[in-house]
Each structure stands twice: as structure tokens, then as C-alpha cells.
Amino acid sequence: MEIHAYEKLWLALALVLIVGFIGTITYGAAGAGIDMIDDKGGTVDPATLDQHPKFGDPGIEQNGENSYDVYVVARQFVFEPGTTEPLRVPAGSTVTFHVTAADVIHGFEVVGTNANTMAIPGQVAEFTVQFEEPGEYGMLCNEYCGSGHHVMEGKIVVMEQEEFDSWYEQQQAQGEAEN
Amino acid sequence: MTDASPERDAAADGGHEVAHDDHGHDFPGTGSIKRWFVTTNHKDVGILYIVTSLFFLVLGGVLAWLMRIQLFAPRGLGEGILAPVAYNQAVSAHGLLMVFWFLSPFAFGFANYVVPLQLGAKDLAFPRLNALSYWLYLFSGILFGVSFFQGGTFSGGWTMYAPLNVPTFTPDVGASTAVLALVLFVASVTVSSVNFLTTMHRMRAEGLTLRNLPLFSWTILLTAWMMLFAFAALLAALLVLSSDRLLGTTYFAMESPAGALLWTHLFWFFGHPEVYIVFFPALGVMAEVFQTFTGRRIVGRKWFILAMVLVAIQSFAVWMHHMFLTSINLQVKTLFMITTIGISLPFDLMVFALIYTMLKGKIRFTTPFLFVFGALLLFIIGGITGVFLGAVVLDYEFRGTYWVVAHFHYVMVGGVTALVGGLYYWFPKMTGRMYDEFLGKLHFAVYFVGFNLLYFPLFVAWETPRRVFDYAPELAPWHQLATVGGFVLGLSFLIMFYNLFKSAFVGDPAPDNPWEYATTAEWAVSSPPPLENFDGTPTYRNGHLEFLDTGEVAPTEGRSDGPTGAAVSDGGVTASATTAVTADAELPTAEVTEVEGPSHASIWPFVLSAGAFLVLLGLSPLQDAAFPEGMVGAAYATTTVAGGVVTLGSLVAMGLEPFHGPVFEEGEAWPFAGIDNGKVGMWIFLASDVVLFGGFLGAYVFTRVAFGWTGWEPIPSDPIPGLVNTYILLTSSFTVVLALVAAEKKHKWGLVTSLGATFVLGIGFLVNKGLEWQHLFHEGLWLSTNVRASTFFLTTGLHAAHVIAGLVIALYLTARAWRGAYLEDSRSVEYFGLYWHFVDIVWLFLFPLFYIL
């Protein structure tokens, strides 16, 4: 079969394009080392979240040096924590989020970052991120969740480590005092 | 039309203005209003589809304008023209209307008009079912419209995610109505799919093998197959949802294990094939128009077709890419990422084939070509931006942002662009007049500018979060551009409406083939084509289209439109919501004893659809299986009953009406050569019913696994009634076989007795089941008790609804057999038998799953 030079060029370009796409995607999936949401978060009973050891009193807790767990409950139409009081995290540490919903499906998106997941009742989404610079981020729900959907938002405050530590100690002390 | 004469022969009708059939009567001309209510002709139905879908385009477009006005600036609560809930409703209704009530029906308008012509058929296999599809579609759209006035329509997004979709969270009656409107729409689609598949496999002209089928017809063939299965899955999802909303089952309730995930699986199993269902016809239009206006056969035609077939199959294995942010395990996600990236490869091939066709051909820039060329560019942008979304990791960045919005609008509205090109392309064929070329090109220019002005800024402002009207203020200029673009795009259609409306009356007369180099068969007949399309019998036996004089072939009796299997589906299926709709068009036509011309008119599809509309409207306020108190509830209940009577009555009338399908000489019929149309239709319908039950059983298994398989006790503590029912059904299958044997032996009383026995056994099944349920109710179990009870009652209830539908048919068959029917032609009994055996087989799966395991 005779193929015109022009056609060969055409085919070659097409192949390069396709291989390029697949390469990009493969790198993104395997090479970039981004942690993906999967089933490791496990399940919870959405009806009894209040009694859950972690989601009963959601918030941040230290689980090692420079390593924290954050429990977030999304419910109509607030993030706990996040909406009534900002969620405070230290800059430069590893933060593992555990996000679930107490009623319908919500979105949990830290605007402008790749911290983004669905909050599904009964399921816990678990993902780890690092906030490099101190600053403030908006947090919002991007799944329809009812009449108050448009006001469902929150705030994340990324603090300097020392500043965070003193705040965190104060919180701990307060918690113990209450107990 | 009750006095319908068997001699409704309008075959000689060559014109379109008036019908002047020799036998002279009741098929009015196109100028008559009555014509449009009774017509079953595929070309009329096609035009009805196109006009109606354009109406829904306007409706969906106005909703889009409201959203764009709201988004003109970042808004807080109470700012702008839409209240928060109104905004949610506008977005949800816009999505549902555009995807369901505009895009597919618009494409199927062309399919109705063009496909039989391209096949060399005189009509679709089941003309009345075709009219029925249209009317169900129209009434489903009206029902959706009504939902706005019942406290507000559905407001949870077009994906209708659970548990927001249950009344706990969306209590408006309108939300239920919207779901029921979708059920009715799916009924329409199922009828249509069965009809198209039967026609396209069975009624191709001699020599027109699948390999030679024109590309537009190819895309419709693949679309119809995808619709058959995908919409059956959607139907399962919608019936479960309807039951949750109306009867109080708890599949999707927050407390149910994995209810939210169950919905996403069911919905996206349908939802992703739906993307290709919507896009394929547009691709077909692109291929046709490219070939015509480049004057060249498409490059790599064989590979093009193969690529489409691959996509159609693979489309059922990519759905979880819509669920990358749910807690599905990573291996499965990776698998779906691979299939998703993989499905883009055949599209690359198609795009290159189209581009290369242009390079090799000689382009003529007419309006249709401009539109499809524009569509190709838009699709390339939409496609490339979509590839990124296929990667799980990038999904974290993009999900819930306007990147997604921009991407799928480029793809979907890119498809619309091609279909608009198709409208210009076939307009001369449909009306017999040319449109104004200058206005057509002007429309394209304004449309294309408006399109890109609307959607391109959304890529730039991709960081805008979806589904809210608040966004970062610095993105506002881009959104303002988009809003302006939205108005430009929308208003450009005014040019088209003016152009086409005016041209339809005063345009230059169009010749048979206004486009040189158009090669498909629709251009070989007059514009518009005669009522029965071809004067002679079209054939490709010598490698090109020829018409044989009618004398050269002996037309066989139209063997179509006997038992019209497809409607069974929708009868049986709707029945789970209301038994009133259970009867169905399985009702056979009067026995055909003389050769008659084909029929073109029946009012019953219209009446039947109106009845189904009333039934569903009446059921909409149900909650926990109870009508609301007082006058309102009574009014709704009355509507349901009235609708049920109309539906049942029109089914019987349709069954008794003498109606003859198109006469055809069997040409190419792979892979169903030599099998009767009615039988093929029935098998195809049963295939979709398999998927419906598959959806229900899948939902059961999924819920049970999430609950813990072993901790799940069967609801009936005593399996004996179920076991007895198993024997009853098996025996009834046997009596159906006896009935067929008796009919074939022309043994009238044997037939009547066997059918009667089947009926009695079916009643026995239902009575036994009723007693069992009574017993369970007394034990305090109800549909809403827990999800275990929900799955038991709903799944076996769906089966019981199928049994009831079968019994209605059996009763009808028995009554007619009593009067001597079916002895000459036993096909109706045979098709009923297929359905009945299927229902029995389903029980053989249900019994162990729900009583023993």
C-alpha cells in the first residue's frame, strides 16, 4: 500500500497527540504521587454521628509530630467546623481530612486548591494535604443540598506553627476543663 | 376513528397538501389540524418531534438566561432575580429539559424522517407505536411543565442525587411530578428504541447490508441500542425513586446503607451512555453533511463505523468516572480511568477521519456545512478538555468547577450545532422549499460567536465553583462576557426561526436533490417525499439504488404491527406505579384475512398518552401510599382513576382497531432474517426488561452487601407461599405452550381452555401473594419498615405488576379466542407466550433471592 508523505505526517502527528495524552494522564495518576480518595475512610452511621468518637465532636487533633487529623461533618447548611468558627490548621504540616455528611450529599471544596471531595452520608472521605503558606481559604459546598445550599460555606485559617500550637493547647485545656 | 375502515389506503397519495386517496376518506392533508393528531406516518411524526423539541429548547434556553442573569455578578443571598431555591430549580430543570426533552428528541425527529428513507422502507415497523412514542414524549414534557406549579419542580440538580431526592429533603409535590414525567419520557424512549431497532434490522432494502448502511442511520442504530439498555437502567432507578417518594420505600433514605451510592451507580450506569446517546446522532449528521459538501466518501468508513461500535459497547463500562470522589476503592477507580481514557481513542479516529475527508474533498461552504464544521471544532475543544477530567487526580482540581460546565457544554451544545446543521440540511427535503442561504450563514456567524462568547470564558474562569451563584469578584468580567454570549447565542435562533418559518411558505421550490453529491436514498425521491416514500421497491441489488416497478415484486402482506410488543414494556413498567396502565399494546390487531393497503392514522396513541399523563399527574401527591386529605386529594385520586379508564380503554380500542403496517419485501434483515417483525420487537423489548429487572436485583444485592450479606434475613419467615407460587407459574407457562399448540392445530376450545387456565393460574398466583402480603402487613411489616422490607415488596411488586399486565393480555386473548380468533394466525398467542415465560423466569430468580438466601 502506498501512503502519501503528507498522510504519513498526518498519522504521525495524530499518534504523537494520542500518546501525549495518555502520557500526561498516566503521569498524573501514577507519577505525581497525589493521594486519592478511596474506601480506606470506611463507613459510619449517619443517624448516630453525634455519638461517634471522632465525628461527635469534630475538629482537629494531633496524631504525631507535624501530623494532624481533621474531622469535618457537613450538614444542612454548615460545615462543622468551618462555618460558625473557622477550621484552624498549621502551615507546613501534614493534615489528613476525614469528611462525612450528616444528612444529604454535600460537596467539600477548599476553593482554589485540590482539596475537594464529596461528603456522602454513611461514607468517610479521607485525604491528606499540606498547606504551605499561612493565609485564609474559603470552603464551600458544590453539590446541591437544599434551600440553604448557597449559604453553605466556611473558612480555613492556616496559621504559623507556633501560633497554631498555642491556640491548640488552649483548646485542649478548654476541652479538659469542660470534662 | 372508532369506525376505522380496514380500507385506509392512501398509497396513491403523492402530494403533501391534501390526501387524495382513491378509497377516499379519513387521512386528512397536512393543512388539517386533525392530521397531526392521528398521523402515524414517520415523516409527520418526525416533524412533530422536531417542532416540539424546539419548543423545549426555548423553554430550557429561557431558564439558562435566568441563570446567566443571576450570574452576571457574584451574588449573595436575596440578590439578583432568582431566590436560592428558584436558582436550584432553574439549573435542575434546564439540565433535564435540555438533555431529555430537547437534545435526543430533536435528533430523533431527523431519525424519524430520514432513517426509513435511507433504509428504503415505507415506514417504521410499528407506525402506531411510533406515534405513541411521540405523544408520550409530548405529554411527559407537559407533565414536567406542570411540576413548576405544584410547589416548585425538582431542585436537586439533573443528576438527582440521593438522599436529597427523597421527600424528607425535597417535599414539594412538583419534585415527584418531575420524577414521574421522566418515567413517562423513558416509556416513550423504550417504545421508540424497540421500534427503530426492529425497523433497522428487519426492513432494509435488498442489498443494503449493515456495511453499506448510510452513516446517519448507523449512528441511529447504535443510539437505539444504547437507549434500549441505558434507559432501562434509568427506568429501574426512577421506579425505585418514585416508590421512595410515593409509596414510602427507603432505598435512598439517609439511614439506608449506601443508599446515596446506590443512586449514583444506577444513575451513571445510564448517565454515561446517555452522553453518547445524545452525541451520536450529531456525529451522524456531521458525517452525512461532510460527505455531501466535500463531495467525497468519508475516509476510512469501515474504521469509522468500527470506532462507533466500540464506543457504543464501551460506553457501558465507564460510568464510575463520575464517581471518582466517592469512596470506591482505588483499583476499581483506576480501571475506570483506563476505560475512560480508552474511549477517547475511537473518537480521535473519527475526528481525524472527518478532518481528512475535508482535506481530500472539495468543500462547499453552505449553511449546513458551516454548522457541522463549527460543530467539529467545538467538539475537538470539548473532547480535549474532557480528557483531563478522565484522570482521577485531576478530578480533585476540576470537580465541581466551571471547567466541567464549560467542557460538557462544548460537547453537548457542540452536538446541538451539528444538529442545527442537520435541520438546514434536511429542511428542503421536509418542506419542499429552500431556506434563505444568506440568513442561514448569518445565523451561523451569530451562533458561533455567541457560543464561544458564552462558553469559552467559563474555561478562563474555571475556578468558579459550580452550582452556586457566588464567586470570586475578580472573575466577574468573564461571567459578564458569558452572559452577553448567552443572549447572543439564544437570539441567533430568532434568525433561524424567521428564516425557516418564512421559507417553509415562500421559499424557492426545492428539487429532489438540492445538494449535488448527496448520495443517500432520501435525495432520490421528491421533496417532500410521497406518503409512502417510494413508488417502486427500492433495491441495491446491483450496487446502487434502483427502483423496481411494483409489478416486478409481489408485495407480501405487511407482517408488521401485529402484536406491538414494545408497548408492553411501558405498560408493564408503569404498572408498578399504577396498575391502571398495565394493559398494553400487546393487544393484537384484528386478524388479517385480506390483503389491504397500509394504514396511516390512529387517534389512540394520542388518547393513550393523555390517559397515562392523567394517571401520573393524579399519583404525584402520594406520600407513603396515601393521597393528601380533603378536596385536593380527592381531585388527584379522581384524576388517577379517570386516567386509568382512558388508558385502558384506548389500549383495548387500539387492539381492536384494524391497522395495517407498512408493506415490505424482506431485503436485508441481518441478524433477524425470516423472523417476524412482531417477534423481533418482542425479543428486543424483553432484552430491555431484563435490564430493568437487572437494575432492581442489582439494587437489592448492592444494598444487601452494604448492609452485611449474612445479617440480612429474608422478609417472609415462611417460604412456602413463594414455593407454591413458583409451581403455579411453572404450570401456567405449560398451559401457554398448550394454547399455542391448540391454536396451531386450529382447535378453538383447546385454545380457549388453555388461555383460560393460564388466566386462572395467574389469578391464583396473585391471590396467594395477596394473602402472603396481608399476613406480613399484620406482622407489622410495611414498605417503609426498613430497607429489607422495601426491597422485598418493591421487587416482587414489580414482578406482580408484570403478572397483572400479562393477565390483562391473557383476558383479552381469551375473549377474542372465544370469538374464533387466532386460529388462522397464532402469532399473538406466541408473542404473549414469550412475555409470559419471561415473567416466569424472573420469578425463578426472585424466589431464591427473596425467600431462601
Side-chain angles (χ1 to χ4, degrees):
Chain A
M1 191 174 80
E2 194 190 322
I3 301 178
H4 197 277
Y6 188 41
E7 289 184 33
K8 279 185 190 163
L9 183 66
W10 184 251
L11 284 171
L13 282 176
L15 276 176
V16 168
L17 188 64
I18 291 167
V19 170
F21 275 137
I22 297 179
T24 317
I25 302 289
T26 314
Y27 171 75
I34 296 177
D35 188 22
M36 294 195 241
I37 290 164
D38 59 13
D39 55 354
K40 64 181 180 288
T43 58
V44 288
D45 179 7
T48 56
L49 274 187
D50 292 347
Q51 288 123 53
H52 191 274
K54 303 293 185 187
F55 290 108
D57 180 23
I60 188 163
E61 61 183 59
Q62 191 157 14
N63 62 8
E65 186 158 354
N66 292 334
S67 172
Y68 296 85
D69 277 311
V70 172
Y71 294 86
V72 179
V73 176
R75 67 172 80 228
Q76 288 181 332
F77 300 97
V78 290
F79 293 105
E80 297 169 351
T83 301
T84 44
E85 60 199 293
L87 169 60
R88 292 170 198 278
V89 293
S93 294
T94 314
V95 180
T96 302
F97 280 89
H98 307 261
V99 184
T100 191
D103 34 46
V104 300
I105 290 182
H106 296 278
F108 175 85
E109 179 180 352
V110 181
V111 183
T113 72
N114 64 358
N116 185 2
T117 187
M118 283 167 94
I120 302 173
Q123 316 278 329
V124 180
E126 189 186 308
F127 58 96
T128 304
V129 293
Q130 216 166 359
F131 293 93
E132 303 294 349
E133 298 291 323
E136 286 193 2
Y137 292 91
M139 186 200 282
L140 62 79
C141 169
N142 59 20
E143 296 284 348
Y144 282 117
C145 61
S147 59
H149 167 63
H150 295 273
V151 293
M152 181 159 170
E153 52 196 23
K155 201 196 280 182
I156 295 186
V157 178
V158 183
M159 305 163 91
E160 293 288 2
Q161 187 73 49
E162 299 97 64
E163 199 187 341
F164 176 82
D165 285 342
S166 62
W167 173 82
Y168 187 68
E169 272 165 34
Q170 193 188 337
Q171 288 296 107
Q172 298 292 93
Q174 221 168 30
E176 273 163 33
E178 275 170 25
N179 290 338
Chain B
M1 301 301 295
T2 45
D3 62 343
S5 149
E7 281 187 285
R8 199 180 296 116
D9 182 3
D13 178 9
H16 55 288
E17 291 303 325
V18 276
H20 44 80
D21 47 335
D22 300 337
H23 309 285
H25 48 113
D26 51 6
F27 193 54
T30 48
S32 155
I33 297 286
K34 185 182 165 196
R35 154 99 165 214
W36 300 101
F37 282 94
V38 300
T39 185
T40 61
N41 184 269
H42 72 96
K43 294 184 290 296
D44 295 349
V45 173
I47 288 170
L48 287 170
Y49 260 109
I50 291 171
V51 171
T52 311
S53 65
L54 287 173
F55 170 77
F56 286 111
L57 168 70
V58 172
L59 190 58
V62 168
L63 289 168
W65 277 354
L66 293 178
M67 286 158 8
R68 283 313 320 171
I69 293 171
Q70 182 76 8
L71 287 165
F72 193 73
R75 315 270 189 188
L77 268 200
E79 295 170 17
I81 56 169
L82 291 175
V85 174
Y87 182 83
N88 297 357
Q89 286 181 21
V91 178
S92 310
H94 166 76
L96 291 167
L97 282 172
M98 287 299 199
V99 170
F100 291 107
W101 279 281
F102 165 59
L103 257 164
S104 270
F106 189 45
F108 265 76
F110 299 134
N112 260 290
Y113 203 100
V114 175
V115 164
L117 286 163
Q118 289 194 339
L119 297 182
K122 298 194 170 179
D123 206 327
L124 288 171
F126 312 111
R128 282 188 302 179
L129 288 191
N130 195 30
L132 181 65
S133 308
Y134 168 72
W135 291 111
L136 288 173
Y137 156 60
L138 176 69
F139 277 105
S140 70
I142 295 173
L143 191 60
F144 191 86
V146 170
S147 72
F148 280 96
F149 303 98
Q150 292 174 303
T153 188
F154 191 77
S155 60
W158 88 281
T159 53
M160 302 182 284
Y161 277 167
L164 185 61
N165 58 9
V166 299
T168 320
F169 300 109
T170 43
D172 288 332
V173 172
S176 297
T177 310
V179 173
L180 292 172
L182 273 170
V183 171
L184 199 57
F185 179 82
V186 177
S188 155
V189 169
T190 307
V191 175
S192 184
S193 310
V194 171
N195 206 348
F196 268 90
L197 289 173
T198 308
T199 309
M200 297 191 74
H201 280 295
R202 288 273 309 141
M203 295 169 69
R204 281 171 280 132
E206 186 188 10
L208 191 64
T209 55
L210 280 184
R211 182 184 274 249
N212 295 327
L213 197 63
L215 284 174
F216 179 69
S217 289
W218 251 113
T219 56
I220 296 299
L221 179 65
L222 292 170
T223 305
W225 275 113
M226 286 190 284
M227 290 199 315
L228 186 76
F229 297 119
F231 274 90
L234 178 65
L235 187 60
L238 288 171
L239 288 180
V240 173
L241 177 58
S242 305
S243 158
D244 268 17
R245 292 195 65 93
L246 305 180
L247 306 178
T249 50
T250 60
Y251 277 81
F252 300 129
M254 184 195 64
E255 305 81 24
S256 294
L261 274 185
L262 171 63
W263 174 265
T264 49
H265 278 294
L266 285 174
F267 183 84
W268 287 117
F269 182 77
F270 148 78
H272 202 81
E274 168 69 3
V275 174
Y276 302 109
I277 288 169
V278 167
F279 192 74
F280 263 34
L283 197 62
V285 172
M286 281 158 82
E288 293 286 340
V289 177
F290 263 82
Q291 294 185 104
T292 296
F293 294 103
T294 58
R296 201 192 183 292
R297 205 172 106 125
I298 200 157
V299 174
R301 187 177 190 279
K302 198 167 51 181
W303 299 104
F304 194 91
I305 293 172
L306 187 67
M308 292 195 299
V309 174
L310 278 178
V311 170
I313 296 170
Q314 204 175 333
S315 69
F316 286 92
V318 296
W319 80 91
M320 285 191 216
H321 71 225
H322 295 272
M323 304 162 66
F324 279 162
L325 296 197
T326 63
S327 51
I328 294 170
N329 74 47
L330 215 51
Q331 288 79 2
V332 175
K333 275 184 187 165
T334 309
L335 181 68
F336 274 78
M337 189 172 83
I338 293 166
T339 58
T340 302
I341 303 297
I343 208 167
S344 67
L345 299 183
F347 275 110
D348 296 341
L349 191 150
M350 289 184 238
V351 168
F352 283 114
L354 288 172
I355 294 175
Y356 206 37
T357 307
M358 269 194 303
L359 294 180
K360 288 203 130 180
K362 198 160 184 247
I363 300 170
R364 288 173 293 153
F365 284 100
T366 56
T367 306
F369 183 81
L370 286 173
F371 270 97
V372 297
F373 181 59
L376 181 64
L377 296 181
L378 301 173
F379 178 65
I380 291 172
I381 298 177
I384 288 177
T385 53
V387 173
F388 296 108
L389 292 173
V392 179
V393 283
L394 293 176
D395 234 36
Y396 295 104
E397 195 74 26
F398 288 134
R399 190 173 194 288
T401 69
Y402 266 64
W403 182 275
V404 182
V405 177
H407 154 68
F408 72 67
H409 280 92
Y410 260 89
V411 175
M412 291 279 153
V413 192
V416 174
T417 312
L419 293 173
V420 172
L423 184 57
Y424 281 105
Y425 181 61
W426 281 304
F427 179 82
K429 180 55 60 186
M430 293 175 179
T431 60
R433 293 184 184 276
M434 297 302 290
Y435 60 84
D436 184 307
E437 190 68 45
F438 170 76
L439 286 177
K441 285 179 176 160
L442 180 68
H443 176 209
F444 172 72
V446 179
Y447 177 99
F448 200 71
V449 169
F451 183 108
N452 287 295
L453 204 54
L454 169 55
Y455 299 120
F456 201 78
L458 303 185
F459 278 125
V460 182
W462 70 268
E463 285 184 305
T464 314
R466 269 179 92 177
R467 306 189 184 99
V468 290
F469 44 67
D470 196 5
Y471 52 85
E474 61 269 21
L475 298 174
W478 298 110
H479 281 283
Q480 284 162 3
L481 268 185
T483 301
V484 172
F487 278 88
V488 174
L489 179 66
L491 292 174
S492 78
F493 278 95
L494 288 183
I495 305 173
M496 182 184 91
F497 289 137
Y498 170 76
N499 185 0
L500 297 189
F501 189 76
K502 183 159 173 263
S503 303
F505 294 100
V506 299
D508 297 335
D512 291 3
N513 183 0
W515 322 120
E516 281 171 89
Y517 308 115
T519 54
T520 45
E522 74 267 29
W523 305 107
V525 291
S526 64
S527 301
L531 187 67
E532 290 183 4
N533 295 351
F534 307 102
D535 291 334
T537 304
T539 175
Y540 292 83
R541 72 164 65 138
N542 299 322
H544 55 90
L545 179 61
E546 292 173 293
F547 294 100
L548 305 179
D549 290 341
T550 27
E552 289 178 52
V553 288
T556 46
E557 168 56 31
R559 43 197 128 186
S560 49
D561 207 43
T564 43
V568 168
S569 58
D570 308 292
V573 157
T574 323
S576 62
T578 161
T579 50
V581 204
T582 50
D584 54 61
E586 169 68 9
L587 315 176
T589 54
E591 54 276 33
V592 180
T593 47
E594 48 189 308
V595 176
E596 289 144 0
S599 317
H600 294 287
S602 171
I603 190 67
W604 300 114
F606 169 77
V607 180
L608 173 57
S609 308
F613 166 82
L614 290 177
V615 170
L616 294 183
L617 179 64
L619 290 176
S620 61
L622 278 184
Q623 275 204 10
D624 286 326
F627 283 102
E629 302 279 313
M631 286 299 290
V632 178
Y636 273 115
T638 314
T639 310
T640 310
V641 173
V645 171
V646 172
T647 308
L648 205 59
S650 52
L651 278 168
V652 172
M654 203 160 148
L656 293 173
E657 179 183 53
F659 190 95
H660 306 294
V663 177
F664 75 105
E665 171 83 349
E666 187 168 311
E668 301 300 327
W670 189 85
F672 302 121
I675 309 172
D676 196 70
N677 276 1
K679 196 173 194 169
V680 172
M682 178 54 96
W683 276 113
I684 293 174
F685 158 67
L686 289 179
S688 86
D689 222 14
V690 167
V691 176
L692 175 71
F693 274 107
F696 270 78
L697 291 184
Y700 163 77
V701 171
F702 186 87
T703 308
R704 182 163 172 175
V705 167
F707 180 90
W709 185 271
T710 45
W712 175 292
E713 300 278 319
I715 282 292
S717 46
D718 178 10
I720 297 302
L723 187 65
V724 170
N725 266 347
T726 309
Y727 288 125
I728 291 180
L729 277 191
L730 287 177
T731 314
S732 74
S733 258
F734 183 63
T735 58
V736 169
V737 174
L738 286 182
L740 184 59
V741 171
E744 280 169 354
K745 289 188 171 168
K746 304 194 193 307
H747 191 308
K748 179 178 164 187
W749 293 109
L751 173 63
V752 172
T753 317
S754 310
L755 282 173
T758 309
F759 182 78
V760 170
L761 286 166
I763 293 289
F765 174 90
L766 289 176
V767 168
N768 185 17
K769 186 173 209 59
L771 292 174
E772 178 198 16
W773 281 24
Q774 275 300 326
H775 182 71
L776 293 173
F777 294 156
H778 281 299
E779 281 180 11
L781 286 164
W782 180 243
L783 287 79
S784 55
T785 307
N786 53 41
V787 74
R788 270 189 316 133
S790 293
T791 54
F792 170 77
F793 285 116
L794 191 62
T795 314
T796 59
L798 178 74
H799 177 265
H802 274 72
V803 171
I804 293 168
L807 288 184
V808 173
I809 303 163
L811 188 63
Y812 178 90
L813 293 179
T814 314
R816 290 189 48 79
W818 189 284
R819 296 172 54 196
Y822 311 124
L823 300 178
E824 298 300 322
D825 176 0
S826 59
R827 289 178 302 184
S828 301
V829 179
E830 186 187 355
Y831 305 155
F832 167 68
L834 291 178
Y835 172 77
W836 194 255
H837 298 320
F838 168 77
V839 173
D840 293 357
I841 291 167
V842 169
W843 181 257
L844 294 183
F845 284 91
L846 297 191
F847 175 63
L849 277 177
F850 286 94
Y851 286 83
I852 314 245
L853 288 176

